[in-house]
């Protein structure tokens, strides 16, 4: 890293020297580590058959992509060592501690209820796992695109009327190749009993048949959707 005020001049001199030390790579597949900081991507892309530009800092690799994205033989990747999961409507966070401890992932739990999150925070005291909690309404909260590897939600989304909009947000918050796992209440096909209809209305639930639920996810661009009735 160059912190010298003459960094630009030094870079001009050093760059050809560094490039001259590379073994021949014309037409080969090249992995550039720390690509977001060193910025050899542009030069390497001119001769490499395929270039994988990798950096641990997401902002750095995005900046690199904004400069060198026109080289179609370059794949830009962020090598974030820890996976990040979002638990939507996390309650007291039981699943979050489990995921963080068992799979060594960073988990963000979001819930509207201060009481639930207070329990979760009490439980987090002294634990070394990477869990954080947000007190917020997940229909209003936004996260930057490509933030999570996994979005998980258990028995929460039944409260939400506008599921299509929520699912589109989930899709954007997930990194490419990310996964979503939802367990939720559904209804069976055909008319519900008067008693059940009254109960659903009283609770303010928005219930769908399983296949229609899966279709909402497909409509939000999710692929390989498996919608299953697990009540049998
Ligand atoms: C039935 S509990 C499930 C909690 C947890 N997922 C579990 O499996 O133990 C539903 C949770 O969703 C939360 N919730 C409902 N609507 C929400 C919203 N719009 N934003 C954030 N949390 C919400 C509630 O506060 C509650 O903690």
């Amino acid at each position: 890293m160059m912190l010298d005020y003459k960094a630009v001049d030094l870079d001009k001199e050093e760059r050809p020297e560094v490039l001259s030390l590379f073994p021949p790579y014309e037409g080969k597949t090249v992995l550039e580590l720390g690509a977001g900081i060193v910025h050899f991507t542009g030069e390497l892309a001119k001769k490499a058959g395929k270039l994988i530009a990798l950096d641990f800092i997401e902002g750095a690799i995005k900046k690199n992509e904004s400069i060198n994205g026109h080289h179609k033989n370059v794949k830009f990747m962020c090598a974030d060592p820890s996976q990040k999961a979002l638990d939507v409507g996390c309650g007291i966070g039981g699943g979050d501690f489990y995921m963080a401890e068992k799979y060594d992932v960073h988990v963000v739990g979001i819930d509207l209820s201060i009481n639930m999150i207070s329990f979760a925070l009490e439980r987090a005291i002294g634990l070394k796992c990477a869990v954080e909690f947000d007190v917020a309404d997940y229909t209003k909260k936004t996260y930057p695109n490509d933030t999570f590897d996994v979005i998980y939600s258990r028995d929460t989304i039944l409260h939400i009327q506008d599921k299509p909009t929520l699912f589109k947000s989930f899709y954007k918050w997930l990194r490419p190749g990310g996964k979503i796992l939802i367990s939720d209440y559904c209804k069976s096909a055909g008319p519900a009993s008067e008693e059940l209809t009254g109960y659903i209305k009283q609770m303010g639930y928005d219930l769908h048949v399983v296949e229609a639920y899966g279709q909402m996810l497909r409509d939000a661009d999710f692929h390989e959707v498996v919608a299953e009735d697990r009540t049998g």
Side-chain angles (χ1 to χ4, degrees):
M1 188 178 305
M2 288 180 291
L3 300 174
D4 196 292
Y5 69 97
K6 288 184 185 157
V8 176
D9 295 336
L10 283 171
D11 182 50
K12 266 188 209 151
E13 283 174 28
E14 275 187 0
R15 186 168 288 261
E17 190 189 339
V18 173
L19 284 166
S20 74
L21 296 172
F22 288 174
Y25 61 91
E26 285 80 358
K28 297 204 169 140
T29 299
V30 177
L31 172 64
E32 185 189 11
L33 298 173
I37 299 165
V38 180
H39 290 316
F40 279 100
T41 310
E43 262 102 347
L44 291 171
K46 285 180 204 158
K47 291 189 192 163
K50 192 174 161 199
L51 173 65
I52 298 163
L54 192 76
D55 202 282
F56 286 107
I57 302 167
E58 200 172 1
I61 199 68
K62 283 202 165 143
K63 172 91 179 145
N64 190 332
E65 187 168 7
S66 73
I67 297 166
N68 292 305
H70 58 285
H71 294 288
K72 295 300 167 213
N73 58 339
V74 184
K75 185 167 183 187
F76 297 88
M77 289 177 74
C78 180
D80 185 345
S82 72
Q83 298 244 312
K84 206 166 178 186
L86 175 69
D87 182 359
V88 173
C90 62
I92 60 172
D96 306 337
F97 295 112
Y98 180 82
M99 275 191 278
E101 279 171 349
K102 187 161 170 74
Y103 300 105
D104 198 21
V105 289
H106 179 156
V107 186
V108 178
I110 177 170
D111 203 288
L112 204 53
S113 159
I114 293 173
N115 283 347
M116 296 278 187
I117 295 294
S118 303
F119 277 118
L121 289 173
E122 258 177 49
R123 203 170 155 187
I125 295 168
L127 293 181
K128 291 217 168 67
C129 56
V131 177
E132 61 182 275
F133 293 100
D134 262 349
V135 178
D137 179 343
Y138 58 70
T139 62
K140 303 210 168 89
K141 176 89 187 176
T142 57
Y143 295 97
N145 290 357
D146 303 342
T147 299
F148 301 103
D149 301 282
V150 169
I151 294 181
Y152 161 77
S153 181
R154 192 176 82 156
D155 303 350
T156 295
I157 296 171
L158 71 162
H159 296 283
I160 305 307
Q161 307 293 319
D162 188 2
K163 292 181 184 33
T165 299
L166 184 67
F167 293 161
K168 280 180 190 140
S169 297
F170 288 172
Y171 187 86
K172 284 194 276 176
W173 299 343
L174 279 170
R175 292 177 179 150
K179 292 188 169 67
I180 184 161
L181 175 65
I182 296 173
S183 101
D184 207 358
Y185 288 33
C186 285
K187 63 177 184 181
S188 45
S193 68
E194 215 173 286
E195 195 186 354
L196 181 59
T197 306
Y199 176 74
I200 292 169
K201 193 167 171 210
Q202 184 199 340
M203 298 303 289
Y205 293 161
D206 172 66
L207 304 186
H208 299 262
V209 295
V210 173
E211 186 42 46
Y213 202 110
Q215 190 54 45
M216 282 191 284
L217 286 160
R218 285 185 200 99
D219 292 343
D221 268 353
F222 285 96
H223 300 281
E224 298 172 44
V225 174
V226 179
E228 282 178 349
D229 178 356
R230 292 290 188 103
T231 57

